[in-house]
Amino acid sequence: MSTDSLVTHVIAALALVITASWVFGTAARRLRQPPVVGQLLAGVALGPSLLGLAPGGVYETLFPPQITPVLTAVAQVALALFLFAVGYELDLGQLRHRRAVTSVSLSGFAIPMLVGAGLVVLLPGGFRSVNGGHPIDATFTLYMAVALSITAVPVLAGIIRDQGLAGSRPATIAMAAAGVIDALSWPVLAVCLIGGEDGSLRAWFTRTALLAAYVLVMVLVVRRVLAWWLNRSGAVLADPVPLATALTLLSAWATSALGLHVIFGALLAGMIMPRQRDGVPDSRVLRPLQETGGLLLPVFFTVSGMSVRLDGLHAADLLLLLALCVAAVVGKVAAGSLSARGGAGLPWRDSLLIGVLLNTRGLTELIVLNVGLQAGVIGPRLYALLVIMALVTTVATGPLTAWLHRPAEAAPAPTAPAPAPDAEPTPRS
């Protein structure tokens, strides 16, 4: 395929992907579901599982194999910009309800991890049969533990807004705890994948040391240089948007070169980006990167959906899918509910609502699953099962939240007491 033909195919594919994601995302929102659900289904519909079944080679014509790397690159750039914004907004020092957040976040992280690891220990044969020959070892077990502990903060924020929960105590605690859970999950995922293809102990320690050195340089040196650069008076090159974009992509490249995924560098870049003096993210930086990442993020959803091969699943895989869904729901809902009730003393309805909200996976789970698929930790069949699990848990969050958040029935209006039989009528004025 010539360069001109490649560019033509990529432009047409991007137009189709963005349009389909917009249509499916809008339909999902009308059904009171997060747009990510519809956008992921758009990817499945455009992938080999559905569009690939059309006669005449329609799928191969629209998405020839030569353009897949280009679409993947666009998806990774969008993901990097989006995660920069996530890291930039992350501020664990200003959390409210500290006692409840600490209890819920630690339980909501540790218990689902134990459930995920325990599921691998209990069903090693089931995972081996769907993992495409990839080993079921300590790395895989730790990865599955992380995969079941994730909560999608962006999708959770959308559900809270759509359900009218913004500002309520359960929503505030769930959002704060979800941020802590994700902050704990990313380092564990990095440790899980840092060995790369060479899983030797020497390679693991080498890459761990390099990663630690890189983080220290970013936090202790780059952050201070950025603050000095942006605070110079009359600086010609002080526009923060190009600087933040370059920092994001360079940091993503650095972690990728260390054998990790680009997401880790992008997230770190956002966390070290200087804020305003009042501790609030600079809207001049946050808004452009959020909007750019959000515009291209449907490409990531679609590429993720196109990697789902439903035609490769077997009937026996449904049992493992059921086990994954039950473990995911029970681990998150039980951990969030019991910790909110026992550790923070919240009412049962609020505690259950927190547990249900933490069960939202969506976008963040898709990122983790893509990382595992690209790193060779999981195979295509298990990837498809985990994507379906993420969809099921995310779709269930909205209706369960609406059910738990039912307003109390209005009490009947008090009626005036009937006048005594011998009472005189009240004169009219």
Side-chain angles (χ1 to χ4, degrees):
M1 181 181 292
S2 65
T3 302
D4 291 341
S5 179
L6 178 65
V7 171
T8 301
H9 273 84
V10 168
I11 291 175
L14 286 175
L16 179 59
V17 164
I18 293 175
T19 302
S21 297
W22 170 62
V23 171
F24 278 69
T26 302
R29 184 173 288 280
R30 297 209 168 197
L31 295 173
R32 301 184 64 82
Q33 290 295 334
V36 62
V37 173
Q39 291 166 344
L40 183 60
L41 291 177
V44 175
L46 293 176
S49 297
L50 292 180
L51 188 60
L53 301 178
V58 176
Y59 174 73
E60 290 76 11
T61 302
L62 293 175
F63 299 100
Q66 293 89 338
I67 73 169
T68 301
V70 181
L71 293 179
T72 303
V74 173
Q76 295 302 314
V77 170
L79 196 57
L81 296 177
F82 174 80
L83 283 174
F84 169 88
V86 172
Y88 194 34
E89 288 185 302
L90 187 63
D91 185 12
L92 303 182
Q94 297 183 1
L95 299 179
R96 299 164 54 197
H97 309 291
R98 292 179 183 272
R99 176 185 172 188
V101 170
T102 301
S103 174
V104 172
S105 58
L106 293 180
S107 298
F109 174 69
I111 293 178
M113 283 197 69
L114 292 175
V115 171
L119 193 63
V120 176
V121 173
L122 290 175
L123 303 173
F127 284 102
R128 190 174 293 109
S129 66
V130 300
N131 208 28
H134 299 287
I136 309 300
D137 53 9
T139 297
F140 175 81
T141 303
L142 183 59
Y143 173 83
M144 288 300 302
V146 174
L148 264 67
S149 69
I150 285 292
T151 297
V153 176
V155 180
L156 176 58
I159 291 176
I160 288 174
R161 181 185 63 249
D162 294 341
Q163 296 290 339
L165 286 168
S168 66
R169 182 169 60 171
T172 302
I173 294 174
M175 276 294 296
V180 176
I181 290 170
D182 281 2
L184 295 173
S185 299
W186 294 123
V188 176
L189 182 62
V191 170
C192 173
L193 303 177
I194 202 169
E197 295 180 358
D198 182 3
S200 66
L201 192 61
R202 179 179 179 182
W204 189 89
F205 277 114
T206 300
R207 291 184 175 179
T208 301
L210 290 174
L211 179 62
Y214 175 69
V215 172
L216 288 176
V217 169
M218 290 286 284
V219 173
L220 300 178
V221 179
V222 176
R223 181 183 177 90
R224 295 181 179 179
V225 172
L226 286 171
W228 168 79
W229 184 272
L230 293 173
N231 290 329
R232 293 179 306 151
S233 59
V236 177
L237 299 177
D239 186 356
V241 176
L243 184 63
T245 304
L247 173 68
T248 302
L249 298 180
L250 286 173
S251 184
W253 166 81
T255 54
S256 181
L258 289 174
L260 293 172
H261 198 274
V262 298
I263 61 173
F264 298 104
L267 192 66
L268 179 60
M271 295 176 70
I272 69 160
M273 189 70 185
R275 294 165 170 255
Q276 299 183 84
R277 292 184 179 180
D278 57 0
V280 177
D282 190 344
S283 60
R284 297 177 303 163
V285 177
L286 184 61
R287 185 172 180 179
L289 268 69
Q290 273 185 331
E291 291 177 348
T292 305
L295 176 65
L296 295 177
L297 205 57
V299 182
F300 168 74
F301 296 133
T302 305
V303 171
S304 302
M306 291 169 66
S307 301
V308 176
R309 299 297 301 260
L310 298 177
D311 54 343
L313 297 180
H314 303 162
D317 297 343
L318 295 178
L319 292 177
L320 183 59
L321 175 61
L322 179 62
L324 286 169
C325 291
V326 171
V329 173
V330 170
K332 275 292 185 184
V333 175
S337 303
L338 295 178
S339 58
R341 174 65 178 173
L346 271 66
W348 269 117
R349 181 177 286 268
D350 287 352
S351 300
L352 287 171
L353 182 57
I354 290 173
V356 169
L357 290 173
L358 290 181
N359 196 40
T360 305
R361 286 174 172 84
L363 170 60
T364 313
E365 181 77 6
L366 293 180
I367 296 172
V368 173
L369 297 182
N370 272 270
V371 171
L373 182 64
Q374 293 176 12
V377 179
I378 59 175
R381 279 173 64 191
L382 181 56
Y383 172 81
L385 293 178
L386 290 171
V387 168
I388 296 173
M389 179 271 291
L391 279 174
V392 169
T393 54
T394 303
V395 167
T397 301
L400 289 175
T401 300
W403 178 71
L404 287 170
H405 189 53
R406 291 193 314 256
E409 293 182 4
T415 57
D422 55 348
E424 295 182 0
T426 303
R428 294 183 180 181
S429 56

